[in-house]
């Protein structure tokens, strides 16, 4: 998990003194990562708090239009 976090520049911080198997709060970045559907699962877009639900939906729809029947058009 830490390698994936580094690759996508995800921030998280486990509180000092947190013990495995116990509940605790984690400070973390808030992003949605849009990945391609192909087997490579390439990174497409990062959506964060700066996006409204409407603008995020528009961006996702635009990327979805790049695909038809599981095949990338561009």
């Amino acid at each position: 998990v830490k390698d994936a976090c580094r690759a996508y520049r995800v921030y998280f911080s486990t509180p000092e003194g947190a013990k495995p198997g116990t509940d605790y709060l984690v400070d973390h970045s808030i992003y949605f990562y849009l990945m391609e559907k192909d087997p490579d699962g390439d990174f497409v877009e990062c959506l964060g708090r700066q996006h409204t639900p409407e603008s995020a939906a528009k961006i996702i729809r635009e990327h979805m239009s790049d695909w038809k029947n599981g095949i990338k058009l561009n």
Side-chain angles (χ1 to χ4, degrees), residues 32-67:
F32 293 93
Y33 292 89
L34 188 59
M35 309 299 282
E36 285 190 346
K37 184 178 177 179
D38 67 3
D40 294 332
D42 292 330
F43 172 80
V44 175
E45 185 97 26
C46 181
L47 304 169
R49 292 176 22 184
Q50 73 274 20
H51 295 91
T52 65
E54 294 78 17
S55 68
K58 180 178 184 267
I59 291 167
I60 292 169
R61 280 193 301 274
E62 288 170 354
H63 286 295
M64 288 174 64
S65 70
D66 292 343
W67 291 83

